[in-house]
Amino acid sequence: MKQEGQSIAMLTAYDYPMATLVDASGIDAILVGDSLGNVMLGYDSTVPVTMDDMIHHLRAVVRGTKRAMVVGDMPFLSYHISREEAVRNAGRLMQEGLAQAVKLEGGIEVAETVRAITNAGIPVMGHLGLTPQSVYQMGGFKVQGKGEEAARKLISDAKCLEEAGVFAIVLECIPQQLAKLITESLSVPTIGIGAGVHCDGQVLVIHDLLGFHSDFKPKFVKQYANLKEQIIEACRQYTKEVKDKSFPGQEHVFNMAEEELKKLY
């Protein structure tokens, strides 16, 4: 797709019903991100997400997917302790979670880990820029690579990841000019989130796109629907109708034959 100039569309999904809808839209790839910690489990970061959490949600998404590629995030500390453990955990996402590829964060410091995982026959997607698992080290959710030194580091990291064997790299929250430079310097595609239109593709969190959390909207998110208000209103209307007994109506109930009812009496 990169060679042919086709943009790659990617969205997150975390459960079976959402995966079926996202897949039916014609999306190219689905990311089961460790962002599930924020949007599904109620954590304030991705750090508490475990391998078992990832596998549980991955299996549900794969069951709801017929055509899109499914990529699973490697969660915090699942690939940092040793290369052997990293390969084992990546293998679990494939074998138990049924993912078709894994994604991990970091640049040159994880290059040899990437190489070890790809040598085991597991496709790896990289992730540079704002890397949520390192958000505390970065001092919060901030744009990365704004200065020359930081920008050069990201360019170097991207080339290092490509050389280590990644098939694509997510670029998160970096200046669009830097994303363009990185994209043009690589033969593998870049997938942007807050990195501008010059990336080879884009990814968004499905809950941001659909407006589930309308009180939180990062600058890089375009909200395509406002389901939060629709869902609240639907539940409010249901509650009202239960209270005033207008639901269930006769069209929602089942009846016994009159002669059978008479036998009971």
mmCIF file of all heavy atoms in Angstrom, residues 139-168:
data_model
loop_
_atom_site.group_PDB
_atom_site.id
_atom_site.type_symbol
_atom_site.label_atom_id
_atom_site.label_comp_id
_atom_site.label_asym_id
_atom_site.label_seq_id
_atom_site.Cartn_x
_atom_site.Cartn_y
_atom_site.Cartn_z
ATOM 1 N N GLY A 139 7.048 13.068 31.523
ATOM 2 C CA GLY A 139 6.477 14.216 32.210
ATOM 3 C C GLY A 139 5.077 14.555 31.761
ATOM 4 O O GLY A 139 4.632 15.697 31.879
ATOM 5 N N GLY A 140 4.368 13.558 31.215
ATOM 6 C CA GLY A 140 2.986 13.786 30.797
ATOM 7 C C GLY A 140 2.801 13.612 29.303
ATOM 8 O O GLY A 140 3.730 13.277 28.567
ATOM 9 N N PHE A 141 1.570 13.837 28.869
ATOM 10 C CA PHE A 141 1.216 13.672 27.459
ATOM 11 C C PHE A 141 1.603 14.937 26.692
ATOM 12 O O PHE A 141 0.834 15.892 26.603
ATOM 13 C CB PHE A 141 -0.283 13.387 27.330
ATOM 14 C CG PHE A 141 -0.690 12.063 27.920
ATOM 15 C CD1 PHE A 141 -1.149 11.992 29.232
ATOM 16 C CD2 PHE A 141 -0.602 10.901 27.176
ATOM 17 C CE1 PHE A 141 -1.514 10.767 29.788
ATOM 18 C CE2 PHE A 141 -0.957 9.679 27.716
ATOM 19 C CZ PHE A 141 -1.412 9.609 29.024
ATOM 20 N N LYS A 142 2.826 14.932 26.153
ATOM 21 C CA LYS A 142 3.359 16.113 25.471
ATOM 22 C C LYS A 142 3.836 15.743 24.071
ATOM 23 O O LYS A 142 4.265 14.617 23.818
ATOM 24 C CB LYS A 142 4.546 16.679 26.260
ATOM 25 C CG LYS A 142 4.201 17.143 27.666
ATOM 26 C CD LYS A 142 5.442 17.617 28.407
ATOM 27 C CE LYS A 142 5.112 18.079 29.820
ATOM 28 N NZ LYS A 142 6.336 18.498 30.557
ATOM 29 N N VAL A 143 3.780 16.718 23.158
ATOM 30 C CA VAL A 143 4.301 16.525 21.804
ATOM 31 C C VAL A 143 5.803 16.255 21.888
ATOM 32 O O VAL A 143 6.530 16.928 22.624
ATOM 33 C CB VAL A 143 4.025 17.763 20.929
ATOM 34 C CG1 VAL A 143 4.623 17.581 19.538
ATOM 35 C CG2 VAL A 143 2.524 18.012 20.824
ATOM 36 N N GLN A 144 6.270 15.274 21.132
ATOM 37 C CA GLN A 144 7.681 14.872 21.149
ATOM 38 C C GLN A 144 8.386 15.314 19.859
ATOM 39 O O GLN A 144 7.751 15.479 18.817
ATOM 40 C CB GLN A 144 7.792 13.356 21.297
ATOM 41 C CG GLN A 144 7.096 12.789 22.525
ATOM 42 C CD GLN A 144 7.704 13.272 23.823
ATOM 43 O OE1 GLN A 144 8.909 13.152 24.043
ATOM 44 N NE2 GLN A 144 6.862 13.815 24.709
ATOM 45 N N GLY A 145 9.698 15.494 19.938
ATOM 46 C CA GLY A 145 10.490 15.781 18.744
ATOM 47 C C GLY A 145 10.371 17.199 18.227
ATOM 48 O O GLY A 145 10.568 17.433 17.030
ATOM 49 N N LYS A 146 10.109 18.157 19.092
ATOM 50 C CA LYS A 146 9.938 19.542 18.640
ATOM 51 C C LYS A 146 11.280 20.243 18.411
ATOM 52 O O LYS A 146 11.377 21.162 17.605
ATOM 53 C CB LYS A 146 9.102 20.330 19.654
ATOM 54 C CG LYS A 146 7.660 19.833 19.753
ATOM 55 C CD LYS A 146 6.893 20.511 20.875
ATOM 56 C CE LYS A 146 6.469 21.908 20.474
ATOM 57 N NZ LYS A 146 5.555 22.512 21.502
ATOM 58 N N GLY A 147 12.317 19.822 19.119
ATOM 59 C CA GLY A 147 13.644 20.408 18.945
ATOM 60 C C GLY A 147 14.513 19.556 18.033
ATOM 61 O O GLY A 147 14.224 18.376 17.796
ATOM 62 N N GLU A 148 15.608 20.153 17.540
ATOM 63 C CA GLU A 148 16.466 19.450 16.574
ATOM 64 C C GLU A 148 17.030 18.154 17.138
ATOM 65 O O GLU A 148 16.996 17.100 16.491
ATOM 66 C CB GLU A 148 17.620 20.352 16.130
ATOM 67 C CG GLU A 148 18.533 19.649 15.119
ATOM 68 C CD GLU A 148 19.834 20.387 14.884
ATOM 69 O OE1 GLU A 148 20.040 21.466 15.463
ATOM 70 O OE2 GLU A 148 20.666 19.856 14.119
ATOM 71 N N GLU A 149 17.549 18.199 18.355
ATOM 72 C CA GLU A 149 18.185 17.011 18.931
ATOM 73 C C GLU A 149 17.171 15.877 19.098
ATOM 74 O O GLU A 149 17.444 14.719 18.739
ATOM 75 C CB GLU A 149 18.824 17.359 20.286
ATOM 76 C CG GLU A 149 19.590 16.197 20.905
ATOM 77 C CD GLU A 149 20.255 16.584 22.219
ATOM 78 O OE1 GLU A 149 20.294 17.787 22.549
ATOM 79 O OE2 GLU A 149 20.729 15.664 22.913
ATOM 80 N N ALA A 150 16.001 16.205 19.641
ATOM 81 C CA ALA A 150 14.964 15.192 19.839
ATOM 82 C C ALA A 150 14.464 14.652 18.504
ATOM 83 O O ALA A 150 14.189 13.457 18.362
ATOM 84 C CB ALA A 150 13.805 15.786 20.634
ATOM 85 N N ALA A 151 14.378 15.549 17.512
ATOM 86 C CA ALA A 151 13.920 15.135 16.184
ATOM 87 C C ALA A 151 14.916 14.175 15.543
ATOM 88 O O ALA A 151 14.530 13.156 14.940
ATOM 89 C CB ALA A 151 13.705 16.356 15.301
ATOM 90 N N ARG A 152 16.197 14.503 15.654
ATOM 91 C CA ARG A 152 17.230 13.622 15.085
ATOM 92 C C ARG A 152 17.212 12.246 15.758
ATOM 93 O O ARG A 152 17.426 11.224 15.113
ATOM 94 C CB ARG A 152 18.612 14.265 15.223
ATOM 95 C CG ARG A 152 18.837 15.440 14.292
ATOM 96 C CD ARG A 152 20.295 15.893 14.299
ATOM 97 N NE ARG A 152 20.486 17.058 13.444
ATOM 98 C CZ ARG A 152 20.634 16.995 12.128
ATOM 99 N NH1 ARG A 152 20.613 15.820 11.504
ATOM 100 N NH2 ARG A 152 20.812 18.107 11.427
ATOM 101 N N LYS A 153 16.938 12.244 17.056
ATOM 102 C CA LYS A 153 16.851 10.970 17.790
ATOM 103 C C LYS A 153 15.701 10.117 17.239
ATOM 104 O O LYS A 153 15.849 8.901 17.037
ATOM 105 C CB LYS A 153 16.633 11.250 19.270
ATOM 106 C CG LYS A 153 16.283 10.017 20.128
ATOM 107 C CD LYS A 153 17.472 9.098 20.337
ATOM 108 C CE LYS A 153 17.263 8.114 21.490
ATOM 109 N NZ LYS A 153 16.151 7.177 21.335
ATOM 110 N N LEU A 154 14.555 10.741 16.962
ATOM 111 C CA LEU A 154 13.408 9.994 16.444
ATOM 112 C C LEU A 154 13.673 9.467 15.030
ATOM 113 O O LEU A 154 13.269 8.351 14.693
ATOM 114 C CB LEU A 154 12.150 10.869 16.454
ATOM 115 C CG LEU A 154 11.524 11.093 17.838
ATOM 116 C CD1 LEU A 154 10.380 12.094 17.758
ATOM 117 C CD2 LEU A 154 11.023 9.774 18.420
ATOM 118 N N ILE A 155 14.345 10.254 14.209
ATOM 119 C CA ILE A 155 14.704 9.796 12.864
ATOM 120 C C ILE A 155 15.630 8.591 12.955
ATOM 121 O O ILE A 155 15.445 7.586 12.265
ATOM 122 C CB ILE A 155 15.367 10.932 12.065
ATOM 123 C CG1 ILE A 155 14.360 12.061 11.786
ATOM 124 C CG2 ILE A 155 15.924 10.408 10.741
ATOM 125 C CD1 ILE A 155 14.983 13.319 11.208
ATOM 126 N N SER A 156 16.618 8.690 13.841
ATOM 127 C CA SER A 156 17.557 7.596 14.043
ATOM 128 C C SER A 156 16.848 6.355 14.578
ATOM 129 O O SER A 156 17.108 5.225 14.141
ATOM 130 C CB SER A 156 18.661 8.031 15.011
ATOM 131 O OG SER A 156 19.533 6.968 15.314
ATOM 132 N N ASP A 157 15.936 6.554 15.528
ATOM 133 C CA ASP A 157 15.175 5.440 16.097
ATOM 134 C C ASP A 157 14.353 4.731 15.020
ATOM 135 O O ASP A 157 14.289 3.496 14.979
ATOM 136 C CB ASP A 157 14.241 5.943 17.197
ATOM 137 C CG ASP A 157 14.958 6.199 18.509
ATOM 138 O OD1 ASP A 157 16.069 5.682 18.695
ATOM 139 O OD2 ASP A 157 14.390 6.918 19.356
ATOM 140 N N ALA A 158 13.707 5.520 14.161
ATOM 141 C CA ALA A 158 12.870 4.943 13.111
ATOM 142 C C ALA A 158 13.693 4.076 12.164
ATOM 143 O O ALA A 158 13.298 2.952 11.818
ATOM 144 C CB ALA A 158 12.162 6.051 12.343
ATOM 145 N N LYS A 159 14.865 4.582 11.757
ATOM 146 C CA LYS A 159 15.719 3.805 10.857
ATOM 147 C C LYS A 159 16.241 2.547 11.543
ATOM 148 O O LYS A 159 16.372 1.484 10.919
ATOM 149 C CB LYS A 159 16.874 4.682 10.371
ATOM 150 C CG LYS A 159 16.418 5.798 9.423
ATOM 151 C CD LYS A 159 17.591 6.659 8.964
ATOM 152 C CE LYS A 159 17.128 7.720 7.975
ATOM 153 N NZ LYS A 159 18.233 8.612 7.548
ATOM 154 N N CYS A 160 16.510 2.674 12.825
ATOM 155 C CA CYS A 160 16.993 1.526 13.598
ATOM 156 C C CYS A 160 15.909 0.454 13.690
ATOM 157 O O CYS A 160 16.201 -0.744 13.545
ATOM 158 C CB CYS A 160 17.408 2.002 14.986
ATOM 159 S SG CYS A 160 18.302 0.771 15.937
ATOM 160 N N LEU A 161 14.675 0.853 13.925
ATOM 161 C CA LEU A 161 13.573 -0.104 13.991
ATOM 162 C C LEU A 161 13.358 -0.788 12.648
ATOM 163 O O LEU A 161 13.113 -2.000 12.584
ATOM 164 C CB LEU A 161 12.280 0.600 14.427
ATOM 165 C CG LEU A 161 12.173 1.026 15.890
ATOM 166 C CD1 LEU A 161 10.864 1.762 16.133
ATOM 167 C CD2 LEU A 161 12.296 -0.164 16.833
ATOM 168 N N GLU A 162 13.448 -0.005 11.574
ATOM 169 C CA GLU A 162 13.288 -0.593 10.237
ATOM 170 C C GLU A 162 14.373 -1.647 9.995
ATOM 171 O O GLU A 162 14.087 -2.747 9.512
ATOM 172 C CB GLU A 162 13.358 0.486 9.164
ATOM 173 C CG GLU A 162 13.227 -0.080 7.757
ATOM 174 C CD GLU A 162 13.253 0.998 6.696
ATOM 175 O OE1 GLU A 162 14.121 1.894 6.761
ATOM 176 O OE2 GLU A 162 12.407 0.956 5.777
ATOM 177 N N GLU A 163 15.593 -1.309 10.364
ATOM 178 C CA GLU A 163 16.700 -2.237 10.160
ATOM 179 C C GLU A 163 16.527 -3.492 11.019
ATOM 180 O O GLU A 163 16.939 -4.595 10.637
ATOM 181 C CB GLU A 163 18.013 -1.525 10.517
ATOM 182 C CG GLU A 163 19.272 -2.235 10.013
ATOM 183 C CD GLU A 163 19.768 -3.275 11.001
ATOM 184 O OE1 GLU A 163 19.547 -3.102 12.217
ATOM 185 O OE2 GLU A 163 20.374 -4.272 10.553
ATOM 186 N N ALA A 164 15.871 -3.339 12.173
ATOM 187 C CA ALA A 164 15.651 -4.474 13.072
ATOM 188 C C ALA A 164 14.526 -5.382 12.595
ATOM 189 O O ALA A 164 14.384 -6.492 13.104
ATOM 190 C CB ALA A 164 15.367 -3.987 14.482
ATOM 191 N N GLY A 165 13.708 -4.890 11.650
ATOM 192 C CA GLY A 165 12.722 -5.775 11.053
ATOM 193 C C GLY A 165 11.253 -5.431 11.229
ATOM 194 O O GLY A 165 10.392 -6.238 10.874
ATOM 195 N N VAL A 166 10.926 -4.229 11.757
ATOM 196 C CA VAL A 166 9.504 -3.894 11.883
ATOM 197 C C VAL A 166 8.871 -3.768 10.499
ATOM 198 O O VAL A 166 9.538 -3.428 9.521
ATOM 199 C CB VAL A 166 9.279 -2.575 12.669
ATOM 200 C CG1 VAL A 166 9.803 -2.679 14.083
ATOM 201 C CG2 VAL A 166 9.880 -1.375 11.945
ATOM 202 N N PHE A 167 7.556 -4.036 10.422
ATOM 203 C CA PHE A 167 6.859 -3.899 9.139
ATOM 204 C C PHE A 167 6.127 -2.566 9.030
ATOM 205 O O PHE A 167 5.666 -2.183 7.949
ATOM 206 C CB PHE A 167 5.878 -5.057 8.921
ATOM 207 C CG PHE A 167 4.672 -5.021 9.824
ATOM 208 C CD1 PHE A 167 3.514 -4.352 9.445
ATOM 209 C CD2 PHE A 167 4.681 -5.672 11.044
ATOM 210 C CE1 PHE A 167 2.404 -4.322 10.265
ATOM 211 C CE2 PHE A 167 3.571 -5.662 11.873
ATOM 212 C CZ PHE A 167 2.426 -4.979 11.485
ATOM 213 N N ALA A 168 6.032 -1.825 10.140
ATOM 214 C CA ALA A 168 5.391 -0.507 10.155
ATOM 215 C C ALA A 168 5.734 0.167 11.481
ATOM 216 O O ALA A 168 6.155 -0.502 12.440
ATOM 217 C CB ALA A 168 3.876 -0.623 10.002
#
